[in-house]
Amino acid sequence: MLLLTCPACGVAADETELAPGGEAHLTRVGPDGDDASFEGYLFQRANPRGVHFERWRHVYGCGKWFHAARDTATLEVFGTYSAQTTAPPDDILDKIKARRPGWEGNA
Amino acid sequence: MKRYSAFAIAREALRHHEGWERAWRSPEPKARYDVVIVGAGGHGLATAYWLGKNHGITNIAVIEKGWLGGGNTGRNTTIIRSNYLQDPSAAIYEKSRSLYETMSQDLNYNVMFSPRGVMMLAQTQHEVRGYRRTAHANALQGVATEFISPQRVKELCPIMNIDGPRYPVLGALWQPRGGTARHDAVAWGYARACSDMGMDIIQKCEVTGIRREGGKVTAVETTKGEIGCGKLGIVVAGHSGELAEMAGFRLPIESVSLQALVSEPIKPCMDVVVMANTVHGYMSQSDKGEMVIGGGADGFNNYTQRGSFHHIEETVRALVETFPMISRLKMLRQWGGIVDMTGDRSPILSKTPVEGVFVNCGWGTGGFKAIPGSGWAMAELMAKGHAPLADAFSLDRFREGRFIDESVAAGVAH
Ligand SMILES: Cc1cc2nc3c(=O)[nH]c(=O)nc-3n(C[C@H](O)[C@H](O)[C@H](O)COP(=O)(O)OP(=O)(O)OC[C@H]3O[C@@H](n4cnc5c(N)ncnc54)[C@H](O)[C@@H]3O)c2cc1C
Ligand SMILES: [Zn+2]
């Protein structure tokens, strides 16, 4: 069972309390975007086997969205962080690099 | 290749079974092939098979990082049906179902196809309307299905409780020619036939990179060295995202875990396949007597081939209401497979941004039934550049908004 600590309310919630929201930090494309960037934003996903940044919602708790950094190959959780950011914070990146020395970020 | 037959069994019985030959060769890779297929699951092997049978291309290697059929092909619950909603789906799934009918003869390998009938229960008014609509669509597509009454459901499957308080059975979409087959045998049968045509199936060999020159594929890097290729077919289900990254593009695919479980074997009690989409559970009885049970997929990206226990719990809890007699069964085994989900729940059979590279993926929770038809279409696509059964499933459908929405037909994992 996946356990994530909701950064909004501090509760350590197990996954039955949470709803997954897919890949995080996608750049939203507006009306001026071309077809290719719109396709990328709407459909194409990194889907890595390894470090994954993703959105979750604490549905059966405080109801807030948040972010998590997790390894999809081992289910290790590196940490959770606020939804109010467009990139993973440094302390999360440091934790990942400490655990995955060769990791260079998701292309 | 020595053919399997009743005579061969008698002959071998008389000489202590010493004359059976290996079903396929296990060669070392050559330096170059006309076509390399990555992934020796059902879809990869069927693609190779039809490239040989229909298009005369046999200088082929099928490269597999584990053992052949060890991915989702050997992990699924083997439901075969073609009662989808949209025309392109009906075409490829029905082609596939009909190829299953003759597969044992075509391959000279018993795949134990059992067209025992598949019913999808309607347990809400919404589902009643949805399945009536599907039955009408299927009639126009030439796929034999009908919407049947709760009484008929009870006749076909007496162990079912049709008037449970939570999930009363209001009818069902019935496809009498749907059924099940032996999953391993499908992979093994194709592997044997491919090997017999001179193709090389290379197991325990992982593809780690894709070489390109001037936008065109030239070779794959593997744990057994570099292997040159004219064309490359990527047929790796849940690992499609990884292979796409090696080739330098992205796919509209997310990989999640889907689980199944089987009970201890019991006497025959159910000779149809039942799917209950509202409650996310389905069940059939294997020839060994085990109740084969499947349910919903996890919602988060996962490559671990194991899933969350609460899905199993939800599935079993719901099925116990509809099949009260299973409440005391012991469950023997549970496992997971990594399924490749697309947004419209339809597969991708397509060219890619890299010349010479083709993908066949996105079958998600429901591609076992599609193995022969998908291989047929993919082979034609790779040989000729387009294929009537595959064209609608190209990658540009996402950019162009031409979705093939099967979220209802594929509402439950199967
Ligand atoms: C629990 C479960 C139940 C299911 N139930 C049903 C059902 O009832 N009916 C139905 O129709 N479908 C069902 N499915 C779906 C079905 O199993 C799949 O859609 C289908 O088997 C996919 O076949 P494939 O050949 O594309 O993939 P796979 O059989 O997964 O084959 C892909 C192969 O690629 C190999 N590979 C991956 N990466 C590499 C690499 N880098 N180098 C070399 N090889 C690589 C893998 O090892 C694997 O063997 C179910 C799936 C699961 C998990
Ligand atoms: Zn919270």
Side-chain angles (χ1 to χ4, degrees), chain B residues 177-260:
Chain B
R177 301 192 71 80
T180 60
R182 169 103 199 269
H183 48 13
D184 297 326
V186 172
W188 297 339
Y190 275 125
R192 177 168 168 263
C194 288
S195 180
D196 186 49
M197 284 190 271
M199 301 175 189
D200 289 352
I201 299 162
I202 298 157
Q203 303 185 65
K204 295 187 199 151
C205 177
E206 181 169 355
V207 171
T208 53
I210 296 176
R211 291 250 163 120
R212 288 153 281 158
E213 255 167 48
K216 194 176 177 321
V217 65
T218 57
V220 288
E221 290 157 19
T222 78
T223 47
K224 294 193 176 182
E226 189 177 310
I227 303 174
C229 62
K231 289 179 183 170
L232 179 68
I234 299 176
V235 197
V236 294
H239 294 269
S240 301
E242 276 188 284
L243 270 289
E245 203 198 320
M246 292 176 202
F249 57 90
R250 279 193 178 189
L251 289 170
I253 295 242
E254 303 227 47
S255 299
V256 302
S257 171
L258 175 67
Q259 302 173 84

Side-chain angles (χ1 to χ4, degrees), chain B residues 236-315:
Chain B
V236 294
H239 294 269
S240 301
E242 276 188 284
L243 270 289
E245 203 198 320
M246 292 176 202
F249 57 90
R250 279 193 178 189
L251 289 170
I253 295 242
E254 303 227 47
S255 299
V256 302
S257 171
L258 175 67
Q259 302 173 84
L261 63 161
V262 292
S263 75
E264 59 190 324
I266 54 173
K267 287 194 173 168
C269 64
M270 180 180 175
D271 60 1
V272 294
V273 179
V274 177
M275 307 178 53
N277 291 1
T278 292
V279 300
H280 256 78
Y282 55 90
M283 190 163 82
S284 65
Q285 189 168 22
S286 75
D287 293 345
K288 283 186 280 183
E290 302 158 327
M291 304 310 286
V292 181
I293 295 174
D298 285 357
F300 56 87
N301 298 49
N302 188 346
Y303 281 84
T304 63
Q305 295 196 132
R306 47 177 205 265
S308 303
F309 183 70
H310 68 94
H311 283 292
I312 299 277
E313 202 177 9
E314 278 158 22
T315 300

Side-chain angles (χ1 to χ4, degrees), chain A residues 6 8-9 58 61-63:
Chain A
C6 170
C9 68
H58 194 185
C62 69

Side-chain angles (χ1 to χ4, degrees), chain B residues 133-180:
Chain B
R133 180 182 176 209
T134 305
H136 290 312
N138 290 164
L140 294 171
Q141 292 152 348
V143 176
T145 63
E146 62 178 309
F147 189 82
I148 58 174
S149 68
Q151 289 67 40
R152 189 78 210 293
V153 169
K154 183 80 183 170
E155 274 165 39
L156 287 163
C157 186
I159 66 168
M160 203 186 301
N161 173 20
I162 59 167
D163 33 45
R166 278 206 192 99
Y167 314 113
V169 174
L170 306 174
L173 180 65
W174 171 237
Q175 183 171 26
R177 301 192 71 80
T180 60

Side-chain angles (χ1 to χ4, degrees), chain B residues 49-128:
Chain B
Y49 175 79
W50 292 117
L51 275 168
K53 278 278 148 176
N54 288 351
H55 306 282
I57 301 170
T58 55
N59 184 17
I60 298 179
V62 184
I63 301 179
E64 166 58 50
K65 73 171 175 179
W67 64 96
L68 71 88
N72 294 344
T73 300
R75 292 166 184 272
N76 76 92
T77 49
T78 78
I79 300 174
I80 295 168
R81 59 186 182 88
S82 59
N83 53 357
Y84 285 68
L85 181 62
Q86 310 294 348
D87 291 349
S89 324
I92 194 164
Y93 286 108
E94 177 61 10
K95 171 76 184 171
S96 198
R97 194 203 55 74
S98 68
L99 287 171
Y100 263 112
E101 293 190 329
T102 54
M103 191 187 284
S104 294
Q105 288 75 18
D106 293 345
L107 298 178
N108 179 236
Y109 202 101
N110 187 2
V111 300
M112 295 162 78
F113 177 55
S114 160
R116 58 184 67 182
V118 174
M119 68 167 77
M120 297 168 77
L121 301 181
Q123 293 179 294
T124 62
Q125 288 300 337
H126 180 75
E127 274 183 306
V128 171

